[in-house]
């Protein structure tokens, strides 16, 4: 055991960086390109780890190569080691409490449009040395990017729940209502009471919702609107699904159906002269949180981003639409 400790003490951090890169990119050549190293050097780094820990980290018979169970466990520790050292490099001796470093934040489109520009502006004032980059993608894509380490934080709705939920931690940011989006000449406009519609008013109508029909439904994979209909004992008729708010509104404008989405999606897109009404009913809301890998400790730079996102989230919650609205604008 003492001999193993000596070997561990002699390991350099570049070994762990190479392991994380190979796990992230799925090949030694891609990892070498990302790290700007030669492929033989990356292979040597991984081989050093396998020798010291006396295990096989990758199943090289697979294409692309895959982590073994031992490899997965060590990669989790390697990410933590690299993150801690990077954090130390960027925060030690930073004057006046200002932070420096890089954080990649993943967001789905409407959240990115609503808060990312202001997030950049606020952090540029408080921490000019902090570089924040956007990784934009659909909700389910954010999970994989967070798990692989491509992003450090993810702003996503609480449902569909991540498949790797036990490997993530989260803090709530805001809550917003679901809305029904219709053409101005739709009969639902006249039937709306105080700018509100009930789930039952949409029963039997052809609906356009957020989602991706190419992704098989999971037990935890229903979106807010689908869960709300199911809770009310209704079976919605969903004719089209899209992850892009502007596409959903364009389909509504073309007469394809009634749009059912979250309020922020309408707020951040061109409404095309459509009408949006708050949907009344149990579970007719979207809850949005900011997520991170539990295995990767949060440092000051991550907390700075999270705190600013929480402030922006409170602002969005306060701007929730009034009872009757056409296209709510920011205050």
């Amino acid at each position: 055991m003492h001999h193993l400790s000596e070997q561990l003490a002699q390991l350099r951090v570049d070994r762990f960086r190479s392991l994380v890169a190979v796990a992230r990119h799925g090949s030694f050549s891609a990892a070498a390109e990302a790290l700007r190293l030669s492929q033989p050097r990356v292979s040597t780094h991984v081989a050093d780890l396998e020798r010291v820990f006396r295990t096989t980290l990758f199943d090289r018979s697979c294409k692309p190569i895959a982590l073994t169970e031992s490899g997965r466990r060590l990669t989790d520790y390697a990410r933590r080691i690299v993150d801690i050292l990077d954090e130390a490099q960027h925060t030690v001796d930073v004057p006046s409490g200002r932070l420096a470093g890089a954080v990649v934040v993943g967001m789905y489109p409407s959240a990115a449009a609503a808060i990312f520009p202001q997030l950049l502006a606020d952090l540029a004032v408080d921490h000019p040395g902090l570089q924040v980059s956007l990784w934009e993608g659909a909700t389910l894509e954010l999970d994989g990017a967070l798990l692989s380490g491509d992003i450090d934080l993810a702003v996503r709705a609480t449902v569909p729940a991540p498949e790797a939920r036990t490997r993530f931690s989260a803090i709530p940011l805001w809550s917003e209502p679901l809305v029904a989006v219709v053409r101005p000449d739709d009969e639902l406009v006249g039937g709306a009471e105080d700018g509100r519609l009930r789930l039952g008013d949409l029963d039997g109508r052809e609906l356009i919702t957020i989602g991706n029909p190419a992704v098989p439904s999971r037990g935890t994979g229903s979106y807010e609107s689908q869960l709300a209909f199911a809770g009310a004992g209704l079976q919605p008729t969903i004719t089209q699904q899209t992850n892009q708010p502007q596409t959903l509104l364009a389909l509504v404008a073309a007469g394809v159906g009634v749009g059912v989405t979250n309020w922020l999606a309408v707020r951040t897109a061109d409404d095309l002269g459509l009408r949006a009404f708050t949907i009344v009913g149990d579970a007719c809301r979207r809850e949005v949180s900011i997520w991170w890998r539990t295995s990767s400790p949060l440092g000051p730079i991550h907390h700075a981003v999270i705190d600013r996102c929480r402030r922006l989230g409170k602002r969005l919650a306060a701007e929730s639409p009034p009872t009757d609205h056409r296209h709510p604008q920011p205050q």
Side-chain angles (χ1 to χ4, degrees):
M1 189 64 183
H2 180 66
H3 178 64
L4 180 60
S5 297
E6 289 180 353
Q7 289 181 309
L8 283 172
Q10 294 173 6
L11 281 176
R12 293 173 49 180
V13 69
D14 56 359
R15 271 58 178 170
F16 296 107
R17 290 189 187 279
S18 290
L19 172 59
V20 171
V22 176
R24 175 182 300 176
H25 296 287
S27 74
F28 288 90
S29 58
E33 182 177 354
L35 295 171
R36 298 182 180 179
L37 299 173
S38 67
Q39 182 175 334
R41 177 173 293 185
V42 172
S43 298
T44 297
H45 290 173
V46 173
D48 285 346
L49 292 173
E50 290 179 323
R51 174 178 51 81
V52 170
F53 287 94
R54 302 174 183 174
T55 189
T56 300
L57 299 177
F58 290 97
D59 181 354
R60 293 165 173 81
S61 66
C62 299
K63 295 296 182 181
I65 60 174
L67 285 167
T68 62
E69 180 59 27
S70 296
R72 189 190 66 78
R73 290 197 297 266
L74 185 58
T75 299
D76 285 343
Y77 283 110
R79 288 196 183 102
R80 293 167 62 182
I81 292 169
V82 171
D83 288 345
I84 289 172
L85 290 175
D86 285 345
E87 193 66 39
Q89 178 183 357
H90 292 306
T91 58
V92 171
D93 296 328
V94 176
S96 304
R98 291 191 170 185
L99 302 176
V103 179
V104 182
V105 183
M107 296 185 183
Y108 59 95
S110 55
I115 71 171
F116 189 74
Q118 191 61 50
L119 175 67
L120 284 182
D122 291 347
L123 290 174
V125 173
D126 296 338
H127 306 290
L130 180 56
Q131 178 183 353
V132 181
S133 302
L134 173 65
W135 193 102
E136 190 173 13
T139 296
L140 299 183
E141 294 173 336
L142 294 175
D143 298 344
L146 186 59
L147 199 59
S148 68
D150 287 338
I151 59 179
D152 302 301
L153 302 168
V155 174
R156 76 182 300 284
T158 57
V159 296
E163 285 188 316
R165 178 67 182 87
T166 58
R167 301 180 65 182
F168 296 148
S169 298
I171 294 176
L173 293 180
W174 71 81
S175 175
E176 59 181 287
L178 298 182
V179 296
V181 186
V182 299
R183 289 159 52 115
D185 58 354
D186 194 291
E187 61 183 15
L188 288 173
V189 174
E193 299 179 3
D194 297 326
R196 297 171 178 264
L197 291 171
R198 298 180 300 274
L199 280 174
D201 296 329
L202 305 178
D203 192 26
R205 295 296 302 268
E206 294 186 341
L207 305 179
I208 307 160
T209 67
I210 295 296
N212 186 349
V215 177
S217 178
R218 309 192 310 258
T220 58
S222 296
Y223 287 80
E224 298 94 348
S225 58
Q226 297 164 6
L227 292 174
F229 279 106
L234 300 174
Q235 182 64 43
T237 303
I238 300 175
T239 60
Q240 297 291 335
Q241 289 181 288
T242 175
N243 285 314
Q244 295 297 328
Q246 195 63 63
T247 302
L248 183 145
L249 296 179
L251 289 170
V252 174
V256 175
V258 175
V260 178
T261 186
N262 55 301
W263 164 68
L264 196 59
V266 180
R267 178 186 182 274
T268 56
D270 181 355
D271 67 4
L272 303 176
L274 303 172
R275 300 289 300 274
F277 298 97
T278 302
I279 301 176
V280 179
D282 293 337
C284 291
R285 299 192 68 81
R286 163 172 282 196
E287 309 291 335
V288 180
S289 299
I290 188 162
W291 304 70
W292 63 91
R293 296 182 305 278
T294 305
S295 61
S296 296
L298 295 178
I301 59 176
H302 305 103
H303 283 295
V305 175
I306 291 173
D307 289 345
R308 182 54 61 178
C309 285
R310 294 181 72 181
R311 295 185 195 182
L312 295 173
K314 289 180 180 179
R315 186 182 304 174
L316 283 178
E319 294 174 1
S320 291
T323 301
D324 187 9
H325 67 285
R326 179 171 180 273
H327 185 57
Q329 298 293 334
Q331 301 297 321

